[in-house]
Amino acid sequence: MQVSGAQAMVQALEQAGVTTIFGYPGAAIAPFYDALVDSNMRHVLTRNEQGAAHAASGYARARQVTGVCVVTSGPGATNVITGIATAYMDSIPLVIISGQVMTDLIGSDSFQEVDITGATSPFTKHNYLVKSAQDLPRIFQEAFYLASTGRPGPVLIDVPQDIQMAIFEYEKPEAVHLPGYRLITEANPEQLLAVKAQLEQAKAPIICVGGGVLSSNATQELMQLAQSCQIPVVTTMMGISAIPFDHPLYLGTLGSHGIFAANYALNKADLVMLVGARVGNRAMGSAQEIARRAQIVHIDIDPAEIGKNIKPHTAIVADAKSALAGLLALNPQTDTSEWVATVTAIKADHQLPDKPAAASATIYPPTLMRILGELAGPDAIVTTEVGQNQIWAANHYPFRKPHTFITSGGMGTMGYGLPSSLGAKVGCPELPVIAVSGDGSFQMSLQELGTVKQEKAAVKFVLLNNSRLGMVHEIQSIRYKRYSQVFLEENPDFEKLAAAYGFGYSKIHSNDQIEAAVRIMLDTPGPYLLECQIDPHEPTLYPVRKEEKG
Amino acid sequence: MSQHTLSVLVNNHPGLLSKVSGLFSRRSFNIDSLAVGICEIPDCSRMTIVVNGDEAMVDQVIKQLDKLIDVIEIEHLPVQNSVFREMVLAKVAVEANQRTELLQIAEIFRAKIVDVSLHHITLELTGQADKISGFLNLLEDFKILRIVRTGTIAVPRFEEI
């Protein structure tokens, strides 16, 4: 069958099971967009290419599929870079298709030409510059395979315009054959036995859960192992929602902005079992110190993570699901009752800050998060921006089900939450989607409100307004004792902004208004903006006791 | 810190060299030399990479290289049981009164004369990196116009059965 390159691209997406793509057209990707007219795939036209990548990422995380975004050459390709790097740092499966200038113009600094494969190779799992239309079916098949297997990640395919227009005889690609891609998923029995022996000797073990537990759908195995061996669980930012917030063995999130009991347990444990976590400096700043004090077991599907940031005593290179199931099957016998009693008491002594929903001058974010979670229900998906809003949501929103928390953990990308909430809502229209943001980060991808409107995506925006860049403001107040460029005094009138897009809107400033306002927001059909006035000096770093440090 | 030599089989396609070299710079791996050429397998090249670092770093270099989809195989070559070779071309300005001395040095090292004129000689020498360095040390008494080195290539020895 004779097809054009562009038709082959569309066909390859359909064969990969893709039903929705996010993108922005331009000259170099025009043949693809023309072929797209004959397809049933839904295309979401964002307002900036970065928004397309973030939306595809939100879609991928909410639906647990590979997200797809399509952009043109040059500025289209460079705009998508932040989205690619954000997905790479959080191991999110994406396939990014970029148009490229005609093959014979490559290298001549032609109009809208940029070396996007060169630019993105540090933060793509793999990328391709297509040289021949015949290669398209194979390359697309490989790209989806690479993006979604092993440690997931973004894969970029750069397709010159002439390749999209070339007519060729379509041949179905053979099965993926990548001799340079070794996939280890099953846990080695000897390594499992070694970990079992270590677990049985431990008196004070913890399991540290990262994003890998979610991406391998290992949350059931995690909870079974934690319960049967009575091991307390802490999470990284990316591991949040892997275990219900109120699980008796769950202590909270690690890190400088994390939960006291979680950091306490990490610092007192005699065994730390890292599962699908890469020991990022944000979660575990003093990794080497912890390794000196405790036995380290590291389970990760990416062999390069073993020994990169922490030297483990035992390691298992495997899919988290396989490793945790393998450990469960060995039925390790542990006695941790004293330890569990200790950390549970610490957790109880350091209850999360909360305030009654009484009249107040400003909204108390922890209380807002709690009420949001209570009213939105266990299935609601929450996205955040980066800053204080992310910390409040991470620490205080009651996550009950896996994959309900979508945030930029590794890159810390402001401007991620708004478009990723759009992607999540497009992917899961039946679920409530709440986008938590600050007034700074809300404006970083503000143009995507247009996409939300066009797609009639009923995202509920919860805007924490303190008229400043709160996180930097907080850092400056602690470390520098003076402020520099953190004030957003001329914020737009958000009520008029919501009206301009036809969104529902209300503004609250008192804790006794929260419940009614959230109910109205959730019950109002369509997108809604709830502006919450918060105290500019509300901290995310709570005063810590001396013992917590170090 | 010590030197480690990696023999790396890669898919032979444009852009790969920059992916490999970019990996070294962005992860702060110290690279001493990198030599690449086609090999006995069609559409593949073999790279010889000499890195300087401790065991943990070399472990990371190998694992990170292995993550590149176009890297097919990595071999960490044993120092005692491999053959290492490097080639240098040295273009030296030499007047008549120094010529004999230079030719004697060349003979001791079994360097080849590959080009000669009234006022200069170009020498070619192949050997292990330390031999090349020893040779170049002795040339320092002369006026060196240009030194070109290939970087080390290496192959493991046959193991006696």
Side-chain angles (χ1 to χ4, degrees), chain A residues 232 248-249 251 261 337-350:
Chain A
L249 287 165
L251 302 178
S337 46
E338 231 174 275
W339 166 243
V340 171
T342 308
V343 292
T344 316
I346 295 276
K347 184 184 168 190
D349 281 354
H350 295 76

Side-chain angles (χ1 to χ4, degrees), chain A residues 318-394:
Chain A
D319 185 80
K321 196 180 181 77
S322 157
L324 293 175
L327 277 176
L328 259 176
L330 294 175
N331 193 19
Q333 298 301 309
T334 51
D335 177 14
T336 62
S337 46
E338 231 174 275
W339 166 243
V340 171
T342 308
V343 292
T344 316
I346 295 276
K347 184 184 168 190
D349 281 354
H350 295 76
Q351 286 288 349
L352 289 175
D354 198 354
K355 284 183 182 171
S360 57
T362 54
I363 296 291
Y364 187 58
T367 304
L368 171 66
M369 293 301 149
R370 173 176 58 75
I371 296 174
L372 265 176
E374 286 165 4
L375 297 180
D379 294 316
I381 293 171
V382 174
T383 75
T384 76
E385 297 288 349
V386 169
Q388 292 180 312
N389 69 89
Q390 181 186 36
I391 304 303
W392 284 317

Side-chain angles (χ1 to χ4, degrees), chain A residues 88 117-118 121-123 125-128 131 146 151 178-182 302-308 311, chain B residues 11 13-16 18-19 22 26-27 56 59-60 62-74:
Chain A
Y88 183 77
T117 48
S121 72
F123 41 81
K125 185 167 173 184
H126 193 49
N127 64 26
Y128 296 90
K131 294 289 176 69
L146 286 170
R151 180 178 183 172
L178 292 164
Y181 184 57
R182 273 162 298 279
D302 180 358
E305 287 305 331
I306 310 294
K308 189 182 84 179
K311 196 170 189 291
Chain B
N11 281 328
H13 75 64
L16 183 69
S18 74
K19 278 187 185 173
R26 73 173 173 270
R27 295 211 179 256
D59 181 60
Q60 266 299 301
I62 292 172
K63 285 171 168 174
Q64 294 293 346
L65 274 174
D66 203 33
K67 280 178 77 165
L68 299 178
I69 310 298
D70 284 318
V71 169
I72 298 166
E73 193 178 273
I74 305 166

Side-chain angles (χ1 to χ4, degrees), chain A residues 36-117:
Chain A
L36 191 62
V37 174
D38 300 320
S39 168
N40 289 326
M41 273 188 295
R42 176 178 181 185
H43 179 278
V44 174
L45 174 65
T46 58
R47 296 297 178 269
N48 178 301
E49 290 86 350
Q50 188 188 124
H54 290 331
S57 166
Y59 178 89
R61 292 169 79 162
R63 280 183 73 93
Q64 296 154 68
V65 294
T66 300
V68 178
C69 76
V70 185
V71 300
T72 193
S73 65
T78 52
N79 274 349
V80 86
I81 280 180
T82 301
I84 297 174
T86 303
Y88 183 77
M89 289 289 270
D90 289 344
S91 306
I92 307 303
L94 286 190
V95 169
I96 304 97
I97 300 158
S98 55
Q100 181 55 281
V101 300
M102 300 277 189
T103 303
D104 60 0
L105 288 175
I106 291 177
S108 66
D109 298 325
S110 55
F111 180 66
Q112 292 195 330
E113 180 191 354
V114 75
D115 172 15
I116 196 62
T117 48

Side-chain angles (χ1 to χ4, degrees), chain A residues 15 47 49 75 117 124 142 147 204 212 228 267 301 311 326 335 347 351 353-354 422 439 474 499:
Chain A
Q15 277 169 2
R47 296 297 178 269
E49 290 86 350
T117 48
T124 45
E142 285 178 6
S228 75
N267 287 320
I301 198 161
K311 196 170 189 291
D335 177 14
K347 184 184 168 190
Q351 286 288 349
D354 198 354
L422 161 71
D439 53 303
E474 187 176 351

Side-chain angles (χ1 to χ4, degrees), chain B residues 47-96:
Chain B
M47 291 183 175
T48 307
I49 305 174
V50 180
V51 295
N52 208 330
D54 57 19
E55 290 295 333
M57 186 184 127
V58 175
D59 181 60
Q60 266 299 301
V61 170
I62 292 172
K63 285 171 168 174
Q64 294 293 346
L65 274 174
D66 203 33
K67 280 178 77 165
L68 299 178
I69 310 298
D70 284 318
V71 169
I72 298 166
E73 193 178 273
I74 305 166
E75 203 176 351
H76 189 174
L77 297 180
V79 179
Q80 300 303 329
N81 228 357
S82 304
V83 179
F84 300 92
R85 286 294 179 272
E86 180 172 355
M87 186 195 270
V88 64
L89 293 172
K91 192 174 186 178
V92 185
V94 61
E95 297 306 323

